[in-house]
Structures are given as structure tokens and as C-alpha cells.
Amino acid sequence: MHFNRLRLIGFKSFVEPTDVIVETGLTGIVGPNGCGKSNLVEALRWVMGESSARQMRGREMDDLIFAGSASRPQRNHAEVQLLLDNGARTAPVAFNDSAEIEVSRCIDRGAGSTYRINGRETRAKDVQLLFADEATGARSTAMVGQGEIGALIAAKPAQRRTVLEEAAGITGLHSRRHEAELRLRAAETNLERLDDVMAALETQLQGLKRQARQATRYRRIGERIRGAEALLYGRRWDSAETAVSAADVALAAARKAVDGRDLEVATASAEQARAAATLPPLRDDEADAGAALHRFEVAQVELEAEERRLADAHRALESRLAQIDADVERENELSHDAAEASGRLAAERATVEAEREGEDEAESAAASARHEATEQVSSLESEVDALTRHLAAGEAQRGALNREIEDLAGRVERLGVQAAEVETARADLAAQSAQTTALEEAEAAVATAQAEVEGLRARVAEAETRRMDNQAAVTSVRDTQQAAETTHAALVAEQAALTELLGGGAGDRDKWPALIDEINVEDGMETTLGAALGDDLAASSDTKAPLHWRGLDGGGDAPPLPAGAAPLTDSVTAPPALARRLSQIGVVVDKDGPRLQGQLAQGQRLVSRQGALWRWDGLTAAPDA
């Protein structure tokens, strides 16, 4: 394959769609610095799978999209397409059906880039393998840049080997080899995990086998238990039917007793209803009489209280009037004393002034006396002023007391009117006292009615007691009946469960009865027989049964039991089909079992009365096994 055409749309400086045709021979691009020559090489590397933005001279892949200029806005999408000639059909099998292969890579701002080969979206790894098979790629030495020739000359052997592998076209094989190694490692890891899972499953299988053995043993024991439970439930069924019959008889008797008690309760209820019908009128009369009596008592109490209040008010007013008269008399005396003092002072002032006019020469001698007189006058004037103020206050208080006396007089008049009204009310009460006889008669009628009501209530209580006793008896009988019905339902459910559980087995047992029904065993040897035969006792003596005992000829050829072991046939009477089996079972005491076990012939076994078992092949079972 070789390149035919490179198409750029919005990639770096190539804002418009630009096609670069690669003709046969040498194709060159010449231009000044900054014209975009390096952008073409980077476009080739980018479309061949370059994933580092630094190799593309940018900080992130979005820097490869046209960022805009003074005259053009920025773009949000960039795409590079590379057309390859596949005429030699050297492309990978997945893309080798076309003579031309178009490889494209597009990027949207903020959304990442996608690869397509012939319009079908692919992985970046597929694109890198495609170019690696052609000995090229985004970081191939075939893309020669500035300074790379000197680096190639000074390269180390490992780096030169990479160049030679690219030249030989086996770089893609190395990539596929690495991918195959990763897959092989993953497969080995899966195999290791599979071994672990198989080991775990093996452990689970062993546990399940152990559980299966336990389930089989549980099933055998369960069958024996179900047989015993069937016998027990049969006996319980018989006793339950007897109990149900007795309960039915008791229920019939109880129902008769309940009917009689219900009739008595109905009669008592009717009597109670009739007595209750006579109570309302008597209660109404009693309520009316009680209300009238209560009103009279309340009115009497109120009148007595009002009379006491009036007497208290009258006494208070009289004491207040006496106090007012005393205050008036005291104020008059004070006013008279003040008038006398004022006259005496005026006379003294006139005397002093007259003496002063006649004794001008002795003015200096009397200065001290004048001073003393002035002070005395000032003191007397102050006393006069105080007495005057006190007199004015007394007059004011006197006026207030006179007004209060007038108010009290009006109140006394009102109280007199109220006293008259009280006397009138007393007269009315005296007139109403004639109705006391009728009230007493009504009270006597009420007492009689109450006595009748109490008698009726006693009869009702007695009837209620009888009804409660009857109801308790009915409840007891119903509880007995319910318990019997519950027991009967439980037995029916158990019978149904046993019937469903035994199912066809019951029919098979009736068709082919077990051999245990034909065996007679001495008392105390039941445990021994069970340990000796175990589940084999469930087999039938009918040869047509799926599981049966069949008589065999040559029973006398059986080997004898060890010395000290008594044959089980001495204690058990069984059909001939069991003769060979019973003859090979010996009964011993517990201490002889281990000693004689080594002397047993093939098929023989030893048992004890306690249920211990020693078999010829070494199997030993304790009594509690």
C-alpha cells in the first residue's frame, strides 16, 4: 500500500478543506517558515494514531482544532482523512476487501476523537496495527524529522533493532504477539481459578454425598417412625371419637340447660322492663318536689343573710355618726381656743405699742424686751397660722362629714325599704308554710316509690345474677364443645396428613403386608429383633411384592454359630422364608460380642438384648446407634 491523498478540514491552520495529492515518484512541499509544512506531518501522525498532545506541539488535543483568527471564527470540529492504495491486497483481512482504504480521524471540541476505516468506526489500536503492518506509524522512523538522522546513527542496538523491524514490516507482529501473550496470561489465570472452583465443587460434592447418605438413613428411620405414628394416631382417633361422642351428649344437655336459663332470663328482663316503666313518673314528681324545696331553702338563706347584712350596716352607721359628732365638738373647741389666743395677742400688741409711744427715752433699755416680745409674737403668729390652717381643714372635713351623713341617711332609708321587703318575704314564707303538708305527702310518696324501685332493683339484680350464672354455664359448655371440636379437627387434619404422607404406601401395605405382622417375639426381645433385621422387617412374605422374602433350599448347609451364641430362632417365631436369616443370627451378652465377632462366618451376626450388633465383616453398632 502507498498513500494517495491527504485531506485536512479545520486541522490547525487548514480551516478550509485542503487536499494534498501524493503522486507516483517524489512529492515535495516548499514554502516559507510558518506556512504550515509541519502541520502536514503532524496531520499524518495524528491520523495514524498519535495520542500525545505534546508530540503535536499542543497542551491538549483540542488545540489541534482551528482556534480562529482576526477574520475567521474558531471551529469546533477538525478531521484528517488519508486515502491508501490497497491494490496489492496487503491490508489486514478485515479491511482487505477494497482496493482503496480510507482512514479518517475526527475530533470535536470537548468530546474527544474517533477513528473510521472505510466509514466504519474502529479502535485506535486497529488503525495503529494497520500502519504497523506497512512498516510505518505515528512514531515510526519512516517519519524523519530534524535531527533524527544523527540520532539514528548514534542509536543503541535495541533502537536499531526497532528500525530494522519496521523496515522488515514485522512491527505489527510484535503488537499481535504482545496481545496474544496477554490473552494467554488471562487464560492461565482463568484456568487457575477453574482449578480452585473445581476443588471447591469437589468439597461440596463430598458434603452432598454425606448428606445424601444421611438423608437415606433419615428416610428409612422416618418410614419406621411414620408407621409407629400411624398406629398411635389410630388409637388417638378412637379415643377422640369416644370423647367427641361424650362431648356431644354433654353439649345436648348443656343446650337444654341454656334454653331453660334463657327463658328465665327473658322473664326477668320483662319484669325489669315493667318496673323500669313505672319509675319515670315517680322520679319526675320527686325531682319537682325537690326543686321546689330547694328554691324555698335558698330564698330563706338569702333573706337571713340580707337581714344580717342590714343589721351590721345599721350598727356601723350609728357608730360612724357618734364619731362624727365627737369630731365636730373637738373642732369647735379648737376653733374657740384659737379665737381666744388671737384676741389675747392683739391686746398685748396694742399694750406694747402704747408703752412704746410713751417711753421713747427708754427704747435702748427695752430693746432686749422688744426682741423677746418680737420672738414671742412670731411664735404666736406661727401658732395662729397653724391653728387657722387646722381650722380650715376641720371645716372642710366637717363639710365632707355632713355630706357623708346625708349619704348615710339615704342609705338608712333604702335599708328600711329593704327591711320592709324582707318582712313581706317573711310573711310570704309564713303563707307558704301551709304547703309543707303537701310537700311532706309528696316526699312520703317519693319514699314509697323509692322503696318499690329498690325492691324491683333487687329482683332485677337477682335475675341478672341468675342470667350471669346461666351465661357462665353456657360459656363453659361452649368452651368444652370448642375444645372437643378443636381436638376433633386436629385429629382429622392429622389423619388427612398421614393419609397423604403414606399415600400409595398404605395401599401397598394392604396389598402386600409387611413380614413383621407375621412374626411373634418373646417379651423383651423386641429390641434384639430390631437390631438384627432392621429395615428388612418392612419387606413382605408375598413373592409378588416389589420387596419380599423368598424361601431358599439348602438351609441346612449354613455354617453353625460360634459356641456361646444362642440362635435367634429360639426366641422368634417367623415364616419359613426367614429361617435361613434367623439361623445365622446369635444372641449373646454384651461382653461376649467383641470376643466372638472374629469367629463369625460370612453372613453371620451377633446381637444383644440391649440392641448391640456385631457383624461378620467387622461392622459394630452400639445399643444407642
Side-chain angles (χ1 to χ4, degrees):
M1 291 191 301
H2 62 273
F3 298 168
N4 285 344
R5 177 170 56 87
L6 178 66
R7 182 178 177 85
L8 299 90
I9 304 173
F11 184 83
K12 287 199 172 184
S13 60
F14 296 92
V15 60
E16 298 294 340
T18 303
D19 292 334
V20 178
I21 307 300
V22 182
E23 300 289 351
T24 304
L26 179 64
T27 299
I29 298 175
V30 180
N33 294 334
C35 67
K37 301 187 297 297
S38 299
N39 292 343
L40 293 175
V41 178
E42 291 173 355
L44 284 174
R45 288 184 174 178
W46 189 66
V47 76
M48 286 191 289
E50 180 58 57
S51 58
S52 175
R54 292 184 178 274
Q55 296 294 330
M56 309 298 293
R57 296 183 299 170
R59 290 177 299 178
E60 56 184 12
M61 282 298 179
D62 288 349
D63 294 341
L64 303 181
I65 305 174
F66 179 68
S69 62
S71 59
R72 291 177 177 270
Q74 68 173 3
R75 297 292 180 89
N76 293 325
H77 176 80
E79 184 177 358
V80 176
Q81 299 175 358
L82 183 61
L83 185 63
L84 305 176
D85 183 8
N86 190 30
R89 306 291 180 177
T90 58
V93 178
F95 314 112
N96 208 19
D97 55 350
S98 177
E100 289 185 344
I101 299 177
E102 184 183 63
V103 180
S104 65
R105 183 178 182 181
C106 59
I107 183 173
D108 292 322
R109 191 178 300 277
S113 60
T114 56
Y115 294 87
R116 287 185 176 84
I117 297 179
N118 289 338
R120 184 174 62 186
E121 187 172 339
T122 59
R123 303 176 302 172
K125 188 174 184 178
D126 296 334
V127 174
Q128 293 170 357
L129 286 175
L130 173 65
F131 289 104
D133 290 341
E134 297 301 324
T136 184
R139 298 188 181 182
S140 173
T141 54
M143 305 285 290
V144 180
Q146 183 177 2
E148 291 184 2
I149 299 298
L152 181 61
I153 294 173
K156 296 180 180 180
Q159 297 174 344
R160 292 181 181 179
R161 177 182 177 180
T162 302
V163 175
L164 295 177
E165 288 177 351
E166 287 182 357
I170 61 175
T171 306
L173 296 178
H174 281 290
S175 299
R176 289 184 175 86
R177 175 185 175 184
H178 178 67
E179 184 176 359
E181 289 176 351
L182 293 178
R183 291 180 179 177
L184 287 174
R185 292 193 189 97
E188 290 176 355
T189 303
N190 292 335
L191 288 175
E192 293 177 357
R193 293 179 59 190
L194 182 60
D195 292 338
D196 296 337
V197 171
M198 289 180 66
L201 291 176
E202 184 66 26
T203 304
Q204 294 179 4
L205 179 61
Q206 296 298 329
L208 292 175
K209 287 181 178 180
R210 183 172 60 257
Q211 294 176 8
R213 291 194 298 270
Q214 293 176 354
T216 303
R217 182 182 178 189
Y218 173 78
R219 186 169 56 252
R220 291 198 301 267
I221 295 173
E223 290 175 356
R224 296 173 61 185
I225 292 174
R226 284 193 293 272
E229 288 179 346
L231 296 176
L232 177 61
Y233 290 145
R235 293 179 181 177
R236 287 184 179 177
W237 176 265
D238 295 336
S239 60
E241 286 184 344
T242 303
V244 168
S245 300
D248 291 338
V249 174
L251 177 62
R255 285 178 177 173
K256 291 180 181 180
V258 168
D259 294 337
R261 296 302 176 88
D262 288 339
L263 181 60
E264 294 178 2
V265 170
T267 304
S269 298
E271 293 179 359
Q272 180 184 5
R274 288 194 298 272
T278 60
L279 284 177
L282 297 176
R283 286 177 179 171
D284 294 339
D285 295 341
E286 180 185 4
D288 294 338
L293 179 62
H294 181 68
R295 286 197 301 271
F296 292 148
E297 292 176 351
V298 171
Q300 182 179 2
V301 171
E302 290 179 354
L303 290 173
E304 291 176 354
E306 185 66 22
E307 183 179 5
R308 288 193 298 271
R309 284 196 301 273
L310 290 174
D312 295 338
H314 189 268
R315 287 193 297 271
L317 290 173
E318 289 180 351
S319 61
R320 189 72 179 272
L321 286 173
Q323 183 178 358
I324 290 172
D325 293 339
D327 292 340
V328 170
E329 184 178 359
R330 187 175 60 256
E331 294 297 332
N332 291 331
E333 292 178 355
L334 291 175
S335 177
H336 180 68
D337 293 340
E340 291 179 354
S342 178
R344 192 170 51 254
L345 289 175
E348 291 178 358
R349 175 176 290 183
T351 302
V352 169
E353 289 179 354
E355 291 178 356
R356 184 177 181 185
E357 291 177 356
E359 297 178 355
D360 293 333
E361 296 84 2
E363 182 177 0
S364 58
S368 59
R370 187 181 59 183
H371 179 69
E372 292 177 359
T374 301
E375 290 180 356
Q376 186 177 3
V377 168
S378 298
S379 175
L380 291 174
E381 286 178 351
S382 300
E383 186 177 355
V384 169
D385 292 337
L387 291 174
T388 303
R389 287 193 299 271
H390 186 67
L391 180 61
E395 292 293 335
Q397 187 176 5
R398 183 176 182 179
L401 290 174
N402 290 329
R403 288 191 297 273
E404 188 173 358
I405 290 171
E406 293 176 358
D407 294 339
L408 291 174
R411 187 174 180 184
V412 167
E413 292 178 359
R414 290 194 299 274
L415 291 175
V417 175
Q418 291 180 2
E421 293 177 354
V422 169
E423 293 297 332
T424 304
R426 284 181 179 177
D428 294 339
L429 289 175
Q432 291 176 0
S433 62
Q435 299 177 358
T436 306
T437 304
L439 181 60
E440 291 177 354
E441 293 177 356
E443 289 178 353
V446 169
T448 304
Q450 288 179 349
E452 293 178 358
V453 169
E454 293 297 331
L456 292 175
R457 285 178 179 173
R459 294 176 60 187
V460 170
E462 183 179 358
E464 184 68 19
T465 303
R466 291 199 303 271
R467 187 180 69 81
M468 293 298 293
D469 294 339
N470 294 335
Q471 187 174 0
V474 171
T475 303
S476 177
V477 172
R478 286 178 179 171
D479 292 341
T480 305
Q481 179 188 4
Q482 186 176 4
E485 290 177 353
T486 303
T487 305
H488 182 268
L491 291 175
V492 171
E494 290 178 359
Q495 181 187 15
L498 288 173
T499 302
E500 182 180 358
L501 182 63
L502 297 176
D508 295 343
R509 189 179 297 107
D510 295 338
K511 187 175 181 181
W512 295 299
L515 188 65
I516 190 173
D517 298 334
E518 305 177 26
I519 297 177
N520 294 323
V521 62
E522 293 181 358
D523 293 339
M525 297 295 292
E526 294 85 355
T527 304
T528 304
L529 179 62
L533 296 179
D535 295 338
D536 296 341
L537 290 171
S540 176
S541 61
D542 191 347
T543 56
K544 296 180 180 180
L547 181 63
H548 62 272
W549 284 93
R550 184 167 61 88
L552 299 176
D553 298 333
D557 298 337
L561 293 170
L568 189 57
T569 53
D570 296 344
S571 304
V572 177
T573 302
L578 276 178
R580 186 181 183 91
R581 174 69 176 273
L582 295 176
S583 65
Q584 298 300 298
I585 299 174
V587 180
V588 297
V589 295
D590 289 337
K591 63 180 181 178
D592 293 338
R595 180 175 58 83
L596 299 177
Q597 187 177 13
Q599 303 177 19
L600 295 176
Q602 185 175 2
Q604 292 180 345
R605 61 182 63 186
L606 300 174
V607 292
S608 68
R609 287 180 174 270
Q610 289 74 24
L613 171 67
W614 297 271
R615 210 165 65 183
W616 65 275
D617 54 0
L619 177 64
T620 303
D624 56 353

